[in-house]
Amino acid sequence: METYNDYPEQATENAKIALRYAEENGWGTCGTGIGKARANQLANRERISENTIARMASFERHRQNSTRKLGDGCGRLMWLAWGGDAGIEWASKKLKEIRG
């Protein structure tokens, strides 16, 4: 199975912001194990699969959280954990590229 790590540096930075915030403030009730794993994968520039890219692209449905402030519920924290605007937009384009 082919994997990819050509996502934008800003997606990595967004995931690092989420992880730093969670380290200082805790995750609380925010996120699932999958979302937390995604943040770590992106922060560490790990290779991700087509399936993971598809999950990232589907996170677009949460775009309304992209402008919220950290600490205002879970939306902004998890948006960043999944790569933020840069990560979600890359995933959508990459998925189209992979699947033709």
Side-chain angles (χ1 to χ4, degrees):
M1 177 188 306
E2 192 162 358
T3 58
Y4 308 86
N5 69 344
D6 61 331
Y7 40 87
E9 185 61 35
Q10 188 59 54
T12 297
E13 290 305 312
N14 288 338
K16 288 179 179 180
I17 291 167
L19 291 170
R20 278 193 301 269
Y21 180 87
E23 187 175 311
E24 294 172 8
N25 302 285
W27 288 100
T29 60
C30 299
T32 65
I34 292 170
K36 294 169 189 176
R38 192 72 55 245
N40 281 289
Q41 284 179 310
L42 294 173
N44 293 319
R45 303 249 2 127
E46 293 176 16
R47 299 185 71 81
I48 56 177
S49 68
E50 178 183 338
N51 184 48
T52 297
I53 294 168
R55 287 176 138 184
M56 285 177 67
S58 74
F59 214 74
E60 175 67 36
R61 68 188 183 279
H62 297 291
R63 180 165 290 280
Q64 73 275 10
N65 295 314
S66 68
T67 58
R68 296 181 89 169
K69 293 183 187 250
L70 276 170
D72 179 18
C74 297
R76 178 72 175 163
L77 178 61
M78 297 317 299
W79 181 257
L80 292 171
W82 283 80
D85 292 356
I88 305 306
E89 290 164 11
W90 168 84
S92 294
K93 290 176 188 170
K94 188 70 174 183
L95 197 58
K96 287 176 187 169
E97 177 188 309
I98 294 168
R99 295 184 175 172

